[in-house]
Coordinates of all heavy atoms in Angstrom, one line a residue:
D297 N 0.5 29.6 0.9 CA 1.1 29.4 2.3 C 0.5 28.3 3.0 O -0.7 28.0 2.9 CB 0.9 30.7 3.0 CG 1.7 30.8 4.3 OD1 2.9 31.4 4.1 OD2 1.3 30.4 5.3
S298 N 1.3 27.6 3.8 CA 0.9 26.4 4.6 C 0.0 26.8 5.8 O -0.6 25.9 6.4 CB 2.0 25.5 5.0 OG 3.0 26.3 5.8
A299 N 0.1 28.1 6.2 CA -0.7 28.5 7.3 C -1.3 29.9 7.0 O -0.9 30.9 7.6 CB 0.1 28.6 8.6
P300 N -2.2 30.0 6.0 CA -2.6 31.3 5.5 C -3.2 32.2 6.5 O -2.9 33.4 6.4 CB -3.6 30.9 4.4 CG -4.1 29.5 4.8 CD -2.9 28.8 5.4
D302 N -2.5 32.5 9.8 CA -1.5 33.0 10.6 C -0.6 34.0 9.8 O -0.2 35.0 10.3 CB -0.7 31.9 11.2 CG -1.5 31.0 12.1 OD1 -2.5 31.5 12.7 OD2 -1.1 29.8 12.3
T303 N -0.2 33.6 8.6 CA 0.7 34.4 7.8 C 0.0 35.7 7.5 O 0.7 36.8 7.4 CB 1.2 33.7 6.6 OG1 1.8 32.4 7.0 CG2 2.1 34.5 5.8
L334 N 9.3 39.0 10.7 CA 8.8 38.0 9.7 C 9.7 36.7 9.7 O 9.2 35.6 9.7 CB 8.8 38.6 8.3 CG 8.1 37.7 7.3 CD1 6.6 37.5 7.6 CD2 8.3 38.4 5.9
K335 N 11.0 36.9 9.8 CA 11.9 35.8 9.8 C 11.7 34.9 11.0 O 11.6 33.7 11.0 CB 13.3 36.2 9.7 CG 14.4 35.1 9.8 CD 15.8 35.6 9.9 CE 16.8 34.5 10.1 NZ 18.2 35.0 10.3
D336 N 11.5 35.6 12.2 CA 11.3 34.9 13.4 C 10.0 34.1 13.4 O 9.9 32.9 13.9 CB 11.3 35.8 14.6 CG 12.7 36.4 14.9 OD1 13.7 35.8 14.4 OD2 12.8 37.4 15.7
A337 N 8.9 34.7 12.8 CA 7.7 34.0 12.7 C 7.8 32.8 11.8 O 7.2 31.7 12.1 CB 6.6 35.0 12.2
F338 N 8.5 32.9 10.7 CA 8.6 31.7 9.8 C 9.5 30.7 10.5 O 9.3 29.5 10.3 CB 9.3 32.2 8.5 CG 8.3 32.9 7.6 CD1 8.8 33.6 6.5 CD2 7.0 33.0 7.8 CE1 8.0 34.2 5.6 CE2 6.1 33.6 7.0 CZ 6.6 34.3 5.9
A339 N 10.5 31.1 11.2 CA 11.4 30.1 11.9 C 10.6 29.3 12.9 O 10.7 28.1 13.0 CB 12.6 30.8 12.6
A340 N 9.7 30.0 13.6 CA 8.9 29.3 14.6 C 7.9 28.3 14.0 O 7.7 27.2 14.5 CB 8.1 30.3 15.5
H341 N 7.4 28.7 12.8 CA 6.5 27.8 12.1 C 7.2 26.6 11.6 O 6.7 25.5 11.6 CB 5.8 28.6 11.0 CG 4.9 27.7 10.2 ND1 3.6 27.3 10.7 CD2 5.0 27.2 8.9 CE1 3.0 26.6 9.8 NE2 3.8 26.5 8.7
T342 N 8.4 26.8 11.1 CA 9.2 25.7 10.6 C 9.5 24.7 11.7 O 9.4 23.5 11.5 CB 10.6 26.2 10.0 OG1 10.3 27.0 8.9 CG2 11.4 25.0 9.5
A343 N 9.9 25.2 12.9 CA 10.2 24.4 14.0 C 9.0 23.6 14.5 O 9.1 22.4 14.8 CB 10.7 25.2 15.2
E344 N 7.8 24.2 14.4 CA 6.6 23.5 14.8 C 6.2 22.5 13.8 O 5.7 21.4 14.1 CB 5.5 24.5 15.0 CG 4.1 24.0 15.4 CD 3.0 25.0 15.5 OE1 3.4 26.2 15.4 OE2 1.9 24.6 15.8
T345 N 6.3 22.8 12.5 CA 5.9 21.9 11.4 C 6.8 20.7 11.2 O 6.4 19.6 10.9 CB 5.7 22.7 10.1 OG1 4.8 23.8 10.4 CG2 5.1 21.8 9.0
Y346 N 8.1 21.0 11.3 CA 9.2 20.0 11.1 C 10.1 19.9 12.3 O 11.2 20.4 12.3 CB 10.0 20.4 9.8 CG 9.1 20.5 8.6 CD1 8.8 21.8 8.1 CD2 8.7 19.4 7.9 CE1 8.0 21.9 6.9 CE2 7.9 19.5 6.8 CZ 7.6 20.8 6.3 OH 6.8 20.9 5.2
P347 N 9.6 19.3 13.4 CA 10.4 19.3 14.6 C 11.7 18.5 14.5 O 12.6 18.7 15.3 CB 9.4 18.6 15.6 CG 8.5 17.8 14.8 CD 8.3 18.6 13.5
L378 N 16.4 30.6 6.0 CA 15.9 32.0 6.1 C 17.0 33.0 6.2 O 18.0 32.8 6.9 CB 15.0 32.1 7.3 CG 13.7 31.4 7.3 CD1 13.0 31.4 8.7 CD2 12.7 31.9 6.3
E387 N 13.5 33.1 1.7 CA 13.2 31.7 2.2 C 13.6 30.7 1.1 O 13.2 30.9 -0.1 CB 11.7 31.6 2.4 CG 11.2 30.3 3.1 CD 9.7 30.4 3.4 OE1 9.0 31.1 2.6 OE2 9.3 29.7 4.3

Side-chain angles (χ1 to χ4, degrees):
D297 196 90
S298 59
D302 295 337
T303 301
L334 186 64
K335 178 187 176 184
D336 289 344
F338 285 169
H341 180 71
T342 298
E344 180 180 354
T345 308
Y346 302 102
L378 291 168
E387 185 177 31

